[in-house]
Amino acid sequence: MTETHYNSHPPSKGSQEKGLLLALVIAALFFVAFHVSPLWNWSFLIWFKGLMILLAIVGIINASLLLGYRKALIFLVIAAVIGYSMEQIGIWTGAIFGPYTYTPLLGAKIIDVPWVIPLCWFAVVYFAHVITNLIIHANPVAKENTLGKTAIMAVLTALVATGLDLSLDPAMSHPEIGAWIWTDGGEYMGVPFKNFQGWVITAFLMDFIFRMVTKRFKSRPISDRYRFVALFAILAWAGLGIGYMLIGNPVSTQLVSVFAIVLPAMLAAANLYMRAWNVRAES
């Protein structure tokens, strides 16, 4: 009876995999289309919110395929709750990222934080998580067996995530966009260094807690095509970097994005396709 029940699962799992892979491809195509469309010139609010929603959709589907539904949902909840909490506390106190306020540009807010921001945190930290795993282990899914190694991986993930903000924050707070305003300006293209410290701490907390909470959970990935699925995470991260390379403002962010965003994506891709077979053989 048990064996019959077990054997009845693969077709269901296969159909889930096909459905999620199709959704991933469609969402990724829309993400690319949004990224290069004239909507940038028509309405920044529609462009940015649409882009972040699509990126979050790609992230949750990608996480479901690689980690399973439960871990994907856990990552989303941890990132959204921590991201929102740190942002709200940061706005109230100025102690985490420095003194800043969101303008009405990003739409409706939950108290003082636009509702799209927790989605941004999830998408950025999840993709940084995958990129870091690929760079270190040549595998998008990795479990560290000690507290120290888990902390190191979380620190590296936080640094990769913060690399994106080296281009994101100056562009989004630039007067031509003004999605948020730094009250006292800052040393780095108008952004205070404290902001990047806050990014490292926030991203670290998300990734470390996720790794620790799910360490004992058995992974139930929907797909075993991990190289194909991981490629979408790499392309999403590289796509953000290429976007800033093309339209980053201030202009300095265009150069920063090459080394802080695109380079980690290239290292992840190189590991995935050059080291992956050896890693699989060893395991």
Side-chain angles (χ1 to χ4, degrees), residues 12-27:
S12 174
K13 183 175 178 180
S15 63
Q16 290 180 51
E17 179 187 27
K18 290 176 182 177
L20 286 173
L21 283 172
L22 178 61
L24 179 63
V25 171
I26 292 173

Side-chain angles (χ1 to χ4, degrees), residues 13-264:
K13 183 175 178 180
S15 63
Q16 290 180 51
E17 179 187 27
K18 290 176 182 177
L20 286 173
L21 283 172
L22 178 61
L24 179 63
V25 171
I26 292 173
L29 288 174
F30 271 99
F31 170 76
V32 172
F34 242 104
H35 211 56
V36 299
S37 75
L39 286 173
W40 170 264
N41 297 319
W42 175 44
S43 172
F44 177 81
L45 177 60
I46 294 175
W47 180 88
F48 182 79
K49 289 175 72 173
L51 186 67
M52 288 301 102
I53 291 170
L54 284 169
L55 192 63
I57 290 172
V58 172
I60 197 69
I61 296 173
N62 195 277
S64 298
L65 287 164
L66 289 175
L67 305 171
Y69 294 124
R70 181 168 65 169
K71 284 190 176 182
L73 181 60
I74 290 172
F75 208 131
L76 174 62
V77 171
I78 288 174
V81 170
I82 292 177
Y84 173 79
S85 300
M86 295 292 276
E87 291 271 356
Q88 188 61 68
I89 294 170
I91 291 171
W92 282 339
T93 67
I96 299 175
F97 305 101
Y100 71 106
T101 55
Y102 281 102
T103 68
L105 187 65
L106 295 183
K109 300 176 182 178
I110 305 172
I111 307 179
D112 298 305
V113 180
W115 64 266
V116 76
I117 294 300
L119 290 180
C120 296
W121 275 109
F122 161 71
V124 169
V125 177
Y126 169 71
F127 287 120
H129 171 90
V130 174
I131 294 294
T132 302
N133 286 343
L134 287 168
I135 291 174
I136 302 301
H137 296 294
N139 193 318
V141 181
K143 284 187 177 180
E144 310 306 322
N145 54 14
T146 67
L147 179 64
K149 289 181 179 179
T150 301
I152 289 172
M153 288 297 290
V155 168
L156 293 175
T157 298
L159 293 175
V160 171
T162 304
L164 176 70
D165 195 52
L166 292 176
S167 291
L168 171 70
D169 223 292
M172 295 293 288
S173 61
H174 192 273
E176 287 190 10
I177 295 178
W180 53 83
I181 297 171
W182 293 104
T183 307
D184 301 323
E187 308 87 347
Y188 177 78
M189 290 185 266
V191 181
F193 281 120
K194 191 176 187 65
N195 169 68
F196 303 110
Q197 296 172 6
W199 258 74
V200 170
I201 293 169
T202 303
F204 170 82
L205 287 174
M206 293 177 190
D207 195 62
F208 181 75
I209 291 173
F210 171 77
R211 291 179 189 271
M212 291 299 296
V213 166
T214 59
K215 182 177 289 190
R216 298 184 183 279
F217 287 9
K218 184 177 180 180
S219 292
R220 300 182 183 276
I222 306 302
S223 176
D224 58 1
R225 307 179 198 185
Y226 84 102
R227 296 176 89 186
F228 178 74
V229 178
L231 181 61
F232 281 88
I234 295 171
L235 291 176
W237 196 258
L240 290 170
I242 292 170
Y244 283 110
M245 282 172 56
L246 297 175
I247 59 174
N249 191 17
V251 177
S252 303
T253 59
Q254 297 179 20
L255 179 60
V256 169
S257 65
V258 176
F259 297 97
I261 309 173
V262 177
L263 180 58

